[in-house]
Amino acid sequence: MAKIRMNTELRNKLFNKIKDVFENEDTQEREAFLQAREYVDERYIFASALAQEVVERSYPTEDVATLRHFKNKYGSPCDVVAKDKCFYFAHNEDTDDEGETKETKSHFDFGLFGNLDGSEYHDSEGKKFAVAYFREELKAKDCNPDIFAQQNGKDDNPHKTKHVDACMKALGHNGYNDSIGMEKEFDAPYYLDVIGTSYCRSRAIACTKNEYEKFEEWRTAKANLVSKHQTWIDTITKQCDQLKIGLKAYRYLSEGIELATELGIQVDEAELIRTNSTGLTIYNPSNLASMIKGMKNKHQSREAKILARKQYEESLN
């Protein structure tokens, strides 16, 4: 039988099948990402309960009920109670270089797109957290939740904008205080009653230094998820870069099938065949597979780790 020549369609199909396997492999980077996301959930439970305790200490529930009663009785002049999910928490337990007491405060936003650095307005990092947190849900909607990680260090461009916009739409992020869908559902449990102006920056809510540090730990956990997502996607991107070079060089489909087989990936040739093309063969499938395998940090069993350690110690003698 005549060999089937490679073309763009076949290369893309092979690439996507192999890339999908890369993304679902049990690597150290993927496990670190999943663990970071689980830890975020744990810290959210603790920090949100602590926030409720701190907020209600400043705005007692009985006072909130009284003011709502007056609003119902007298209308807008007494409309001073609002729901909010972001707060300025502050403590006065630190001192400056001269030994004077100073206020330490920061903006903590419990929303899906809440900042990761205390900034009230800058939400680009919040977007990175949102797509990392809901990665699987966005993939199921044919979105690319890895777009920020893939475009890290690059200027904004139409490709990035297209995928970011699609992710934001899927998450229900339509602008400030206008969320729907996943964002609205995520934010709902974190709204608390506050008394005063609707602008959180104008009301610093007192807390202890220990409580403040707990809020920082929660926010750091969110930032760590973004970092672990970036690290994981970086490893996939490096493998995919080599994969693209190899597939582009292959002249025949059989070479691409051999590469997939060497990587332990079963591909049905019949599903791939559509059209014909040509190319130059400069990457041996076996060598390329070995190169890509070497980029992975897969989990080792306890026995394998012990054996590797023994072999290392023996090499020193």
Side-chain angles (χ1 to χ4, degrees):
M1 295 179 62
K3 288 186 176 182
I4 299 171
R5 290 182 176 273
M6 272 288 204
N7 60 36
T8 300
E9 183 181 358
L10 290 174
R11 289 187 179 93
N12 288 340
K13 287 182 177 180
L14 265 172
F15 175 82
N16 289 330
K17 284 182 176 293
I18 296 174
K19 178 174 178 286
D20 184 64
V21 173
F22 289 169
E23 292 182 358
N24 289 283
E25 286 179 318
D26 183 22
T27 61
Q28 294 176 14
E29 292 82 5
R30 180 173 181 267
E31 182 62 25
F33 164 73
L34 296 175
Q35 289 181 358
R37 189 163 57 186
E38 290 180 2
Y39 187 63
V40 164
D41 288 335
E42 294 175 11
R43 299 317 300 173
Y44 249 103
I45 293 172
F46 179 85
S48 60
L50 180 60
Q52 181 175 359
E53 178 183 334
V54 172
V55 170
E56 290 182 354
R57 195 163 61 216
S58 291
Y59 306 118
T61 54
E62 56 270 23
D63 291 352
V64 170
T66 298
L67 290 169
R68 283 214 170 102
H69 169 75
F70 285 138
K71 177 192 173 184
N72 293 333
K73 186 174 182 178
Y74 299 109
S76 58
C78 294
D79 187 8
V80 293
V81 175
K83 292 281 189 181
D84 212 340
K85 59 177 176 56
C86 58
F87 317 94
Y88 267 97
F89 290 126
H91 72 84
N92 294 288
E93 298 179 38
D94 287 333
T95 56
D96 58 24
D97 293 337
E98 298 179 354
E100 297 294 328
T101 300
K102 68 175 184 178
E103 182 183 59
T104 301
K105 69 177 181 178
S106 186
H107 181 258
F108 297 93
D109 188 340
F110 284 81
L112 178 61
F113 289 88
N115 68 78
L116 307 182
D117 59 3
S119 170
E120 184 177 346
Y121 302 105
H122 194 252
D123 71 342
S124 63
E125 293 300 308
K127 289 180 179 179
K128 293 178 182 179
F129 169 80
V131 297
Y133 187 84
F134 281 115
R135 185 178 186 275
E136 287 74 21
E137 291 82 352
L138 289 171
K139 293 279 285 186
K141 292 178 178 290
D142 293 325
C143 294
N144 180 7
D146 304 324
I147 186 63
F148 285 111
Q150 293 166 348
Q151 293 282 311
N152 186 41
K154 299 180 181 179
D155 294 333
D156 288 342
N157 55 75
H159 173 72
K160 178 180 178 181
T161 299
K162 172 187 174 182
H163 288 288
V164 169
D165 288 348
C167 286
M168 295 306 104
K169 182 178 180 180
L171 289 168
H173 188 59
N174 297 324
Y176 187 70
N177 285 340
D178 190 27
S179 62
I180 59 175
M182 284 189 277
E183 181 186 7
K184 184 176 183 179
E185 183 178 351
F186 182 94
D187 292 355
Y190 307 117
Y191 280 95
L192 299 172
D193 291 315
V194 294
I195 299 172
T197 174
S198 60
Y199 299 105
C200 58
R201 64 180 176 277
S202 65
R203 54 168 194 274
I205 301 175
C207 66
T208 66
K209 182 176 181 178
N210 179 261
E211 290 168 337
Y212 185 91
E213 290 173 346
K214 296 300 181 184
F215 291 131
E216 287 189 314
E217 288 177 10
W218 154 74
R219 194 167 60 191
T220 298
K222 294 179 64 179
N224 185 55
L225 175 62
V226 174
S227 176
K228 297 301 183 185
H229 183 222
Q230 181 69 60
T231 300
W232 175 38
I233 299 305
D234 282 345
T235 65
I236 295 174
T237 299
K238 289 178 182 178
Q239 295 175 66
C240 287
D241 286 345
Q242 291 299 318
L243 179 61
K244 285 179 181 178
I245 294 172
L247 291 178
K248 186 177 180 180
Y250 292 157
R251 187 174 181 181
Y252 297 106
L253 176 60
S254 59
E255 295 172 292
I257 298 294
E258 182 183 349
L259 170 63
T261 301
E262 289 283 348
L263 290 169
I265 303 169
Q266 298 302 313
V267 176
D268 186 349
E269 183 175 312
E271 293 182 3
L272 299 176
I273 300 173
R274 288 293 184 273
T275 56
N276 296 319
S277 184
T278 60
L280 295 175
T281 302
I282 60 174
Y283 265 74
N284 176 276
S286 181
N287 291 342
L288 178 56
S290 296
M291 181 190 301
I292 292 175
K293 288 177 180 178
M295 295 177 176
K296 305 178 189 299
N297 289 315
K298 289 193 172 184
H299 286 290
Q300 290 182 301
S301 66
R302 182 172 180 276
E303 292 74 14
K305 291 179 180 178
I306 293 174
L307 177 60
R309 182 63 186 179
K310 286 182 177 179
Q311 291 174 340
Y312 170 74
E313 291 175 348
E314 290 173 357
S315 68
L316 299 178
N317 297 329

